Amino acid sequence: MNKLFTTLTKVTLGLTVVIAAASCNQNQTPGGSKSTDSTSTVSGTAADDKIAYINSDTLSEKYEYFKDIRTKLEAKVKKAQGDLQSKGQAFQREVADYQQKAASMSASERQATEEKLARKQDELGRLDQNASASIAQDESTEFNNVYNTITEYLKKHAQEKGYKLVLTYSKSNPTVLYADSKLEITNDVIEALNKEYKEKKDKEKK
């Protein structure tokens, strides 16, 4: 079950790469290092050079769509772990039973039992692999949907606000070492995304 446990630890948001270049339909200069001047953007840059950033840690904590996905994936992982644990315990009981009776068995009986136990052990390994692969696929699909939702919104938001570049910041991956807090648009984006998500859920209930 180690692979499945590893999968559970990966049920976190990979937003450190989700938001960069979300306003890409603006005319950006390739290789331009405008971001190095982000601390002075508020005070003196032209409107067409506007830069903003989003704290992806905060977004992952407060975006309801992502929180719902994370809860769903964690529930699936928990169920799969429970199923595998139950089967694993049953297998261990069979092994213990065989060890107790092995001395009184004939050589052919021991061989047949050991072969059966080996097949069951292989089956448990395949079940673990299949469960991990299924959850990983679901995780990839769901987070890709989150990515698309966020970037599509940010494209519209960037056009409306005139942003040429929207950066992302995370404590775990601090590619932006400093930015003026006046450039942060996290709360505005979260509020808008949650509003869109709530409207979508309300429509689906009808």
Side-chain angles (χ1 to χ4, degrees):
M1 287 178 281
N2 289 337
K3 291 185 179 180
L4 197 56
F5 293 143
T6 300
T7 302
L8 178 59
T9 65
K10 291 169 63 181
V11 183
T12 55
L13 184 61
L15 279 178
T16 55
V17 294
V18 164
I19 307 159
S23 56
C24 59
N25 56 344
Q26 301 285 341
N27 292 323
Q28 300 176 24
T29 302
S33 56
K34 293 287 186 180
S35 59
T36 59
D37 297 325
S38 62
T39 58
S40 62
T41 301
V42 171
S43 60
T45 54
D48 60 353
D49 289 329
K50 288 174 67 177
I51 294 173
Y53 76 92
I54 291 175
N55 187 317
S56 61
D57 297 326
T58 304
L59 186 57
S60 67
E61 291 172 3
K62 297 184 177 180
Y63 186 20
E64 295 298 329
Y65 180 23
F66 168 68
K67 288 163 66 176
D68 286 349
I69 286 174
R70 181 172 55 195
T71 298
K72 182 171 74 172
L73 289 172
E74 287 175 346
K76 183 172 182 177
V77 170
K78 186 176 180 179
K79 182 180 183 304
Q81 286 177 336
D83 291 343
L84 283 170
Q85 186 176 23
S86 177
K87 288 182 172 64
Q89 289 172 344
F91 173 72
Q92 290 299 328
R93 287 194 295 270
E94 286 192 54
V95 171
D97 182 64
Y98 164 67
Q99 290 171 340
Q100 290 178 351
K101 297 177 179 178
S104 61
M105 290 180 172
S106 66
S108 59
E109 287 175 331
R110 285 197 300 271
Q111 181 178 355
T113 303
E114 288 172 2
E115 288 175 353
K116 182 180 72 172
L117 291 173
R119 288 194 298 271
K120 288 192 174 184
Q121 186 175 33
D122 289 342
E123 183 182 350
L124 281 174
R126 287 193 297 273
L127 286 173
D128 188 0
Q129 291 178 341
N130 291 340
S132 298
S134 175
I135 292 170
Q137 179 60 48
D138 287 350
E139 182 183 11
S140 176
T141 300
E142 295 286 8
F143 288 159
N144 187 57
N145 291 337
V146 173
Y147 169 88
N148 290 336
T149 301
I150 292 173
T151 53
E152 285 303 313
Y153 170 74
L154 284 175
K155 286 177 184 178
K156 295 184 294 183
H157 187 71
Q159 284 182 327
E160 292 171 359
K161 300 296 184 179
Y163 296 129
K164 279 301 186 88
L165 183 65
V166 179
L167 303 173
T168 179
Y169 168 80
S170 170
K171 285 185 178 180
S172 61
N173 186 26
T175 52
V176 178
L177 298 181
Y178 173 77
D180 193 315
S181 60
K182 294 176 183 177
L183 299 175
E184 184 174 359
I185 59 172
T186 310
N187 289 336
D188 291 341
V189 170
I190 290 172
E191 182 178 352
L193 286 170
N194 281 338
K195 181 180 178 182
E196 283 189 356
Y197 181 55
K198 184 178 183 303
E199 291 173 350
K200 180 181 178 182
K201 288 179 68 176
D202 289 343
K203 288 181 181 178
E204 290 174 350
K205 290 178 181 178
K206 294 179 180 179

